[in-house]
Every structure is written in structure tokens, then in C-alpha cells.
Amino acid sequence: MSNSDWKKVDFQDFINQYENQVVIENAPVIMHSKKDKEHEAFKSLVTLIFIVGFTFIYVAISIMLIPIYFNPYIFYPILLVSGSISGILLYNYIHSNVNIKLIECWFEIYKHQSNDNTTHFCFSYYPVFSGKCLPNMAKNIVYKLYQDELIKNKLDITQVEVYLKILSSEPKNFIPIGYFFQYSEGIPFRSEEINRNKWKFFPIEKSSNDNYLATANWDHQFEWREDLELDFDKLNDYGPWILHRWDHQKLKPLTNKYKRTLNWDLRPIKDDPKLKPWMSKFESQEYEDFKSYKDLQIVNEVIERIIGPIVKIKKLKDLSGYLFEIKSYFRDLIV
């Protein structure tokens, strides 16, 4: 095995040689905002009731006037437009005002045997959120269709890598080195401007004095609790914050078989470790991944193809008449 290779370790093989407690102890403690929710859709419900009521009244009047006057070129387009708008509003209401929760954490273990009798490990943790809500309400609806038709679930999976080493002189003593994750300090929680290629390494000492990780934005990137305390508006506007620690029930090994059920290849995640801690000055290593925006690129592509590259969608009405065509487009991508 070359120095550049990481080898994935089966969890059962790992615990046969080491204790599983080391995986639990090094799992990142995460603070998550209780106000991380889907868009409020009370207006959608009110508008839906109004449109449905108007449609029923219009149909009733049209039926009564059939012996006198009936224009199919007006009747059917009105039904089509009202039906499309009602579908969008109903879909948005069903998916609205739902708390997004941090529900569990998965992990994988990678190993590298260096020539200097030092063994490096990467514990790749995957915090799993119950969903994700894009700030742009219209794009959020398209993203939900993308999840329904391609991903087949609404789970949002993020990643935090923890690097450790073992010296040959102490073969059972894991020495934590540090963390590597998408770092989004100071970005407003609902800002559409995210950078998924901004990965940064932090030495293990950064987590001392209860300096936990905190979800930095809607895309569930992370920042440190110390950073959050300096951002008074975010800390208070998105409080209360829930602290998540992991035990053997909520911390689970991720298998290749389960990855297939999650449609892992369609997700913007590269699971292989991204750093080479056996190299000098590895802290300055940079990482970019062509897959990092894969989901958002697919969403933007379908919008450009069906609605147009010039139109900027923001509100639900901007999707009027396109919802079923967008859904069909995603369905065709599977074939």
C-alpha cells in the first residue's frame, strides 16, 4: 500500500482489535438550532383555500350557464392554471413549518500504515439531519422534488473527519490530531451564498473548554461555538440551541450496502479521507471536490431547462404551470 492510500476498515474488525468506545469518545459534539425549520406556509394555506373556493364557484356558475354560453378556451385554461397553483400551494403547505432535527450520526473508519511505525486513522462522521430548507422558497420546492424523485428520502447528510494516530510503542493508545470539515464562520444562517469547498483543519486542542461544533447555516455546514458567541444576532435569533452528544444507539457504522439504499453516488459527498496527516505541514492542505455542488447544480439545471436561464424564481407563483414538468424531468433522470 502506497503512502497516499487510505484503507477502509470493517467496523467489526476494528472492535476485534480495539474498543468501540474510542469512536464514541471522538465523535463531534454538535449544537443545532431549534429554529431550523421549513418555510412557514400559513399564507399558502389561506391562498389555497381562496383559489379552491374560487374554482368551485367558477365551475358551478359555468355549469349553470352551459345552456346559454360556454367557452372551452377560457374554462379549461382557468382550471389548468388554478390546479397547478393549488398543487404547488398544497405541496408547500404539507412540507412547511416542520422542525429540521439532527437525528443520528453514522461513521466510517479508515486506516493508513506509515513507514515510521505510526498508524493513522480517520474517523469519518456523518451527522444526519431530518431534512434541509433552502432560503429561496421556490428553489426549496424544486429541491424537495429532486429528493423525492432521485434521492428517495429527505435526509441531509454532512461530514466531519477526525484524524488520530497510534504509535507502535503504545499500540492501544489513540492520539487525536484534529478535525477537518466545511467551515462557515460568520455566514448568516439563511444566506444563499455558501461555499462547500471551504474545508479547514483544526487541531484537537480547538475543541477544549467545551468548544463544540455548531450548525452554521441552512446547508448544515459547521462553525465553532466560540465563533457563534461572537455572532450575537445568530446566537440569539436562532436560539435555543440543542446540544447533541452521541452514544452507541445514535452512532452507527455506515456500510456500503446501506449507502446504496441512500443513493450515495447522487449526494455531494466524497467519503474517502481528504488529508494526509503523515505528510509535513498537512494542516495547509486544501481540498476541493467537483461533486460538492452536485445536488444544487441539478436543481439549477432543471430550472434553466424548463423555466429558462434568464428567469429568476423566488416565490411559489414563479413555479405556476411548471411543477409537474419539473417532477417528470427528475423522474426521467432515473431511467
Side-chain angles (χ1 to χ4, degrees):
M1 182 174 66
S2 67
N3 264 7
S4 61
D5 291 335
W6 285 97
K7 180 181 178 182
K8 186 175 180 180
V9 180
D10 180 79
F11 180 59
Q12 187 59 51
D13 293 339
F14 180 84
I15 61 176
N16 287 342
Q17 186 174 2
Y18 308 101
E19 295 182 358
N20 65 346
Q21 189 62 27
V22 66
V23 179
I24 298 175
E25 290 175 350
N26 286 281
V29 181
I30 298 175
M31 294 171 57
H32 181 232
S33 169
K34 201 170 182 179
K35 291 183 180 177
D36 186 10
K37 296 182 177 182
E38 295 290 345
H39 290 291
E40 187 79 32
F42 179 73
K43 290 182 179 179
S44 294
L45 178 61
V46 173
T47 307
L48 174 65
I49 294 173
F50 175 80
I51 292 177
V52 171
F54 166 80
T55 304
F56 277 122
I57 293 172
Y58 173 75
V59 170
I61 294 175
S62 297
I63 292 174
M64 291 172 59
L65 296 178
I66 283 179
I68 304 173
Y69 175 79
F70 178 76
N71 189 337
Y73 297 105
I74 297 177
F75 181 79
Y76 293 113
I78 288 179
L79 287 186
L80 180 62
V81 171
S82 64
S84 298
I85 295 176
S86 297
I88 294 174
L89 294 172
L90 179 61
Y91 190 91
N92 185 50
Y93 178 71
I94 291 173
H95 291 82
S96 73
N97 202 26
V98 176
N99 283 87
I100 295 173
K101 299 178 181 179
L102 179 54
I103 52 179
E104 60 185 6
C105 187
W106 304 328
F107 68 89
E108 292 180 302
I109 301 174
Y110 293 86
K111 177 181 178 181
H112 178 272
Q113 181 65 55
S114 300
N115 294 329
D116 59 357
N117 295 321
T118 300
T119 303
H120 288 92
F121 283 88
C122 174
F123 294 169
S124 190
Y125 294 97
Y126 301 98
V128 182
F129 295 83
S130 60
K132 173 168 13 194
C133 180
L134 279 64
N136 184 311
M137 190 174 292
K139 282 190 177 181
N140 187 54
I141 294 296
V142 180
Y143 193 86
K144 294 293 187 292
L145 290 174
Y146 158 80
Q147 291 178 313
D148 286 344
E149 299 299 328
L150 267 71
I151 305 298
K152 303 301 183 184
N153 66 66
K154 299 213 169 34
L155 296 178
D156 185 42
I157 305 169
T158 57
Q159 187 177 26
V160 177
E161 295 180 344
V162 178
Y163 291 87
L164 311 93
K165 65 181 179 181
I166 290 180
L167 304 178
S168 58
S169 57
E170 299 179 89
K172 298 292 183 179
N173 182 28
F174 280 83
I175 304 172
I177 300 174
Y179 302 85
F180 194 54
F181 56 84
Q182 289 182 25
Y183 182 56
S184 294
E185 174 195 8
I187 303 298
F189 201 91
R190 287 294 173 190
S191 172
E192 292 191 56
E193 300 299 323
I194 59 170
N195 185 354
R196 288 181 174 172
N197 280 321
K198 188 182 177 182
W199 287 73
K200 189 172 181 179
F201 174 83
F202 295 92
I204 198 66
E205 292 78 17
K206 185 70 175 179
S207 63
S208 60
N209 299 319
D210 295 332
N211 189 21
Y212 312 120
L213 290 183
T215 48
N217 51 37
W218 59 270
D219 199 40
H220 302 139
Q221 298 174 312
F222 297 104
E223 61 183 318
W224 292 100
R225 182 177 69 87
E226 289 180 352
D227 302 330
L228 190 63
E229 289 180 346
L230 297 176
D231 192 341
F232 183 82
D233 291 337
K234 182 189 289 188
L235 180 65
N236 288 274
D237 292 347
Y238 287 90
W241 296 78
I242 302 173
L243 191 65
H244 293 266
R245 299 179 185 272
W246 309 107
D247 55 28
H248 67 281
Q249 292 182 330
K250 292 188 176 182
L251 190 62
K252 305 172 183 178
L254 180 59
T255 64
N256 290 332
K257 181 179 180 180
Y258 192 47
K259 279 184 176 180
R260 288 192 288 272
T261 67
L262 293 166
N263 288 313
W264 194 264
D265 291 340
L266 294 175
R267 297 177 180 274
I269 303 175
K270 183 178 180 182
D271 39 20
D272 294 336
K274 300 162 188 62
L275 295 182
K276 302 173 183 178
W278 55 87
M279 298 180 64
S280 61
K281 297 182 180 180
F282 75 92
E283 301 91 338
S284 61
Q285 294 175 20
E286 296 182 354
Y287 171 74
E288 289 189 7
D289 181 19
F290 71 94
K291 284 182 60 178
S292 60
Y293 292 94
K294 186 170 186 176
D295 54 344
L296 299 179
Q297 286 173 341
I298 292 175
V299 167
N300 288 329
E301 179 183 322
V302 67
I303 293 171
E304 290 182 4
R305 284 178 177 267
I306 294 177
I307 302 178
I310 301 176
V311 179
K312 302 296 183 182
I313 66 167
K314 292 184 178 181
K315 300 179 181 179
L316 296 179
K317 65 179 182 180
D318 297 332
L319 295 176
S320 177
Y322 300 108
L323 193 63
F324 298 109
E325 191 176 352
I326 290 172
K327 189 172 183 178
S328 298
Y329 179 91
F330 285 135
R331 191 181 297 118
D332 292 340
L333 285 179
I334 303 173
V335 177

